[in-house]
Amino acid sequence: HVLEFAMRGLSDQVRQVLWTIAAFRMPASYNTLVAVLTGEAKSCATEKELDTILAELEDRGLVGWDIRVNRYDLHPIVRGVVWNELDAQKQIDIYNDLSFYFDAVPKQYWTEVRSLEDLTPAFELFNALIGLKLFDDAILVFRDYLREATLYRLAAAQQRIELLERFYPNGIESLPLLTNTDAQSYALNELAMTYHLCGRLERALHLYKFSAQI
């Protein structure tokens, strides 16, 4: 009821900004929000309009602002409620906007990555493509921009699992949602290796065998 009260009376324009922030996988930088949300035929005509909306969302407790790094984020519960109030077409429209933007943003080479934040453009592009059910494109983003950085540079096993498990909405007993058998085998092997590194050996063995069979 607190969240319902906080969202009461939001204008369509403010809701559009809130929905867009909810689509991000990681905290959204202010500059990114300006690029995605302001301009002709976008949610806000000017940066000043966006500032006013962000201030309102923060005042209502719907969006958190990290003043140190000028980033905006939603609590996971708020994110879930906000995103689930959208119909499928609006979700697709937002994911299309984000995929278009982050596809054009330069990605750091894996040896230059120092933290997960450095991978934000790749994470967000991957997330948008998964949301659009473009799984074949998403596995290429993982291979080209996320694999080495999360494995060798950051040892980010949990993040790798979260990324790779999104190819298995029906569980790891089924094939990953990829059309090419080489890509399926690759996704199985990558997830198996990550489970292996985390000590989840039974799951790793199952996927190693599955990958080898393909």
Side-chain angles (χ1 to χ4, degrees):
H1 67 281
V2 175
L3 181 55
E4 181 183 359
F5 181 80
M7 295 182 65
R8 190 176 301 161
L10 290 178
S11 69
D12 290 342
Q13 184 187 32
V14 175
R15 284 181 179 272
Q16 185 64 43
V17 172
L18 182 61
W19 291 332
T20 301
I21 299 174
F24 281 77
R25 175 184 175 84
M26 301 177 72
S29 72
Y30 176 77
N31 289 338
T32 297
L33 293 178
V34 170
V36 172
L37 289 167
T38 65
E40 187 177 352
K42 294 187 178 181
S43 300
C44 302
T46 66
E47 190 173 334
K48 184 177 180 180
E49 273 188 25
L50 177 61
D51 289 343
T52 301
I53 291 172
L54 291 173
E56 178 182 349
L57 291 173
E58 187 187 10
D59 289 343
R60 287 173 177 260
L62 293 170
V63 170
W65 178 36
D66 187 340
I67 192 172
R68 297 176 299 106
V69 290
N70 205 15
R71 290 196 182 102
Y72 293 83
D73 200 8
L74 277 67
H75 185 282
I77 293 175
V78 177
R79 186 187 305 279
V81 171
V82 168
W83 189 247
N84 288 328
E85 79 170 1
L86 284 172
D87 62 40
Q89 186 56 54
K90 287 184 179 178
Q91 291 179 352
I92 288 172
D93 291 342
I94 292 173
Y95 278 138
N96 271 323
D97 289 342
L98 294 183
S99 67
F100 180 80
Y101 173 76
F102 283 108
D103 189 38
V105 174
K107 319 296 189 295
Q108 284 189 308
Y109 190 62
W110 72 270
T111 57
E112 300 170 350
V113 170
R114 296 178 179 274
S115 67
L116 289 173
E117 286 72 22
D118 293 337
L119 294 173
T120 294
F123 275 132
E124 296 297 354
L125 178 57
F126 178 93
N127 183 59
L129 293 172
I130 290 288
L132 293 169
K133 301 188 185 305
L134 298 175
F135 299 103
D136 291 337
D137 293 333
I139 197 65
L140 297 180
V141 171
F142 175 84
R143 183 197 67 187
D144 294 343
Y145 304 119
L146 295 169
R147 181 186 185 275
E148 279 78 6
T150 55
L151 180 61
Y152 301 121
R153 192 69 173 160
L154 303 176
Q158 186 55 45
Q159 284 75 19
R160 285 173 59 85
I161 288 173
E162 290 173 4
L163 291 169
L164 291 164
E165 283 185 343
R166 298 190 71 184
F167 294 104
Y168 305 81
N170 301 316
I172 63 169
E173 299 300 322
S174 59
L175 282 170
L177 294 182
L178 297 161
T179 58
N180 182 279
T181 54
D182 287 341
Q184 290 175 339
S185 180
Y186 173 79
L188 286 162
N189 190 71
E190 286 295 314
L191 184 54
M193 179 171 57
T194 309
Y195 283 148
H196 191 171
L197 292 171
C198 292
R200 300 165 71 175
L201 302 183
E202 289 188 8
R203 284 195 169 196
L205 181 59
H206 165 73
L207 294 184
Y208 278 135
K209 289 180 177 178
F210 209 172
S211 177
Q213 289 170 0
I214 293 177

